[in-house]
Amino acid sequence: MTTTPDAAAAVRLPAQSVYQNRVADYWNTEANPVNLELGRIDGLYHHHYGVGEADWSVLDEPDPGLRRDRITAELHRLEHAQAELLTARLGPLSTADRVFDAGCGRGGGSVVAHLRYGCEADGVTISAKQAEFANEQARKRGIDDKVRYHHRNMLDTGLPTGAFAASWNNESTMYVELDLLFAEHARLLRRGGRYVVITGCYNDTYGRASREVSLINAHYICDIHPRSAYFRALARNRLVPVHVEDLTEVALPYWELRSRADHLVTGIEETFISAYRNGSFQYLLIAADRV
Ligand code: GPP
Ligand code: MG
């Protein structure tokens, strides 16, 4: 099934595993204020966390309503900064280029890429609700001829081979087997194309997954990979790292501010803070060339 009327309408969504059905159910029913209220600010709906120093003065705002709004806006600014950080690594790209957003959620990342480069974008999500929501946002912006979202499996997209100049996963790799995922990116990317991932991974030097990592897995129904697994799987799939950045330190202010946002917390905030602080969990960006 697809939500866009393109040739890919002929592509059937492969039979889903029980696990994939469960993940799709989560995202079909997810309506956390931390995602919807932030997205409403400018129509950019993100499903990832933020980076950079926070403006802590929002917490001192005396008016309770204004305080809530300022905290919401500040968290959105940090999430947007994360999206821009990833998007900057995709380029240079031109208006003739096409990019692939694997695990696109409600679509914010593809819009950010289109606004920056003028490129076309195809986003894929296992959630029919998210694809429908994202397509509606693109229609509202008048960019639905350039930015399309599909209800499909990112491991088996049915999108055309070698057609993409760049592709990415923004906090979605923990739902899939990395070898299957990177094989699909390598198929979709043209030679010399750029792949970027931002992810939470567990730290091999700490040992196996910590208690906090296990709690995060249970919270989102995902399976966080160790850092080493990324480099092995990239190398096996013609993806050669060109830039690696540990974002753990710059990820903390977002979580500290979010933990103080009573109107937005989901309950996972303290777990992220202690996972990052105790060294068991890292927030990583990897950019790789398709060779
Ligand atoms: C955030 O999405 C990301 C995930 C669910 C994947 C897990 C990420 C890791 C780094 C482990 P979201 O924006 O929907 O989450 P929330 O509702 O908590 O804001
Ligand atoms: Mg969120």
Side-chain angles (χ1 to χ4, degrees):
M1 175 188 161
T2 177
T3 54
T4 54
D6 62 13
V11 176
R12 268 184 282 133
L13 191 71
Q16 288 190 165
S17 66
V18 174
Y19 171 71
Q20 289 168 340
N21 283 333
R22 190 65 191 79
V23 171
D25 287 347
Y26 176 97
W27 293 108
N28 281 334
T29 52
E30 184 275 332
N32 292 335
V34 74
N35 298 320
L36 295 175
E37 287 191 27
L38 271 62
R40 254 195 291 279
I41 292 173
D42 58 2
L44 289 173
Y45 289 83
H46 296 303
H47 281 282
H48 52 75
Y49 315 124
V51 292
E53 191 46 76
D55 173 4
W56 302 104
S57 75
V58 297
L59 295 171
D60 303 328
E61 173 59 50
D63 179 83
L66 199 54
R67 182 177 186 275
R68 268 200 304 275
D69 292 350
R70 287 188 62 195
I71 293 172
T72 305
E74 182 58 6
L75 288 171
H76 189 57
R77 186 185 70 77
L78 297 175
E79 289 191 3
H80 189 76
Q82 194 267 26
E84 290 285 0
L85 185 77
L86 186 156
T87 306
R89 291 280 167 194
L90 299 172
L93 295 168
S94 79
T95 53
D97 286 322
R98 190 172 172 189
V99 298
F100 166 56
D101 179 357
C104 62
R106 287 187 172 93
S110 288
V111 178
V112 171
H114 170 72
L115 294 178
R116 184 180 189 112
Y117 299 111
C119 58
E120 294 196 27
D122 287 273
V124 165
T125 167
I126 202 162
S127 157
K129 280 275 164 48
Q130 285 188 329
E132 194 184 315
F133 185 100
N135 278 320
E136 181 54 25
Q137 294 304 313
R139 267 192 294 280
K140 280 190 189 154
R141 257 178 211 276
I143 58 170
D144 50 317
D145 57 332
K146 302 278 184 203
V147 179
R148 302 164 287 261
Y149 301 95
H150 314 272
H151 171 214
R152 294 192 205 156
N153 186 331
M154 63 170 138
L155 303 179
D156 188 8
T157 62
L159 293 168
T161 301
F164 294 84
S167 67
W168 70 92
N169 285 91
N170 199 345
E171 296 184 17
S172 48
T173 48
M174 57 290 294
Y175 289 100
V176 295
E177 287 168 62
L178 294 180
D179 268 302
L180 301 180
L181 175 69
F182 294 157
E184 183 65 348
H185 280 284
R187 183 186 74 77
L188 294 172
L189 285 169
R190 69 179 185 218
R191 199 175 162 85
R194 169 63 53 82
Y195 172 69
V196 181
V197 56
I198 293 184
T199 192
C201 56
Y202 75 79
N203 184 359
D204 300 84
T205 66
Y206 178 94
R208 299 301 300 263
S210 64
R211 179 169 181 273
E212 289 82 2
V213 167
S214 299
L215 289 169
I216 296 168
N217 280 338
H219 181 85
Y220 292 107
I221 329 172
C222 65
D223 187 7
I224 291 164
H225 305 285
R227 174 157 45 103
S228 56
Y230 283 88
F231 297 94
R232 288 202 195 95
L234 287 167
R236 279 195 292 258
N237 288 283
R238 308 184 66 108
L239 295 165
V240 178
V242 64
H243 180 82
V244 179
E245 198 170 339
D246 184 349
L247 300 171
T248 308
E249 278 297 314
V250 292
L252 270 164
Y254 168 86
W255 284 105
E256 278 158 1
L257 183 59
R258 178 164 154 168
S259 72
R260 308 279 300 273
D262 297 343
H263 62 302
L264 299 173
V265 289
T266 62
I268 199 65
E269 288 75 16
E270 297 302 333
T271 306
F272 269 87
I273 292 168
S274 63
Y276 285 145
R277 289 228 177 102
N278 71 21
S280 67
F281 186 53
Q282 294 176 298
Y283 198 49
L284 206 67
L285 178 149
I286 307 169
D289 290 329
R290 159 69 163 89
V291 299

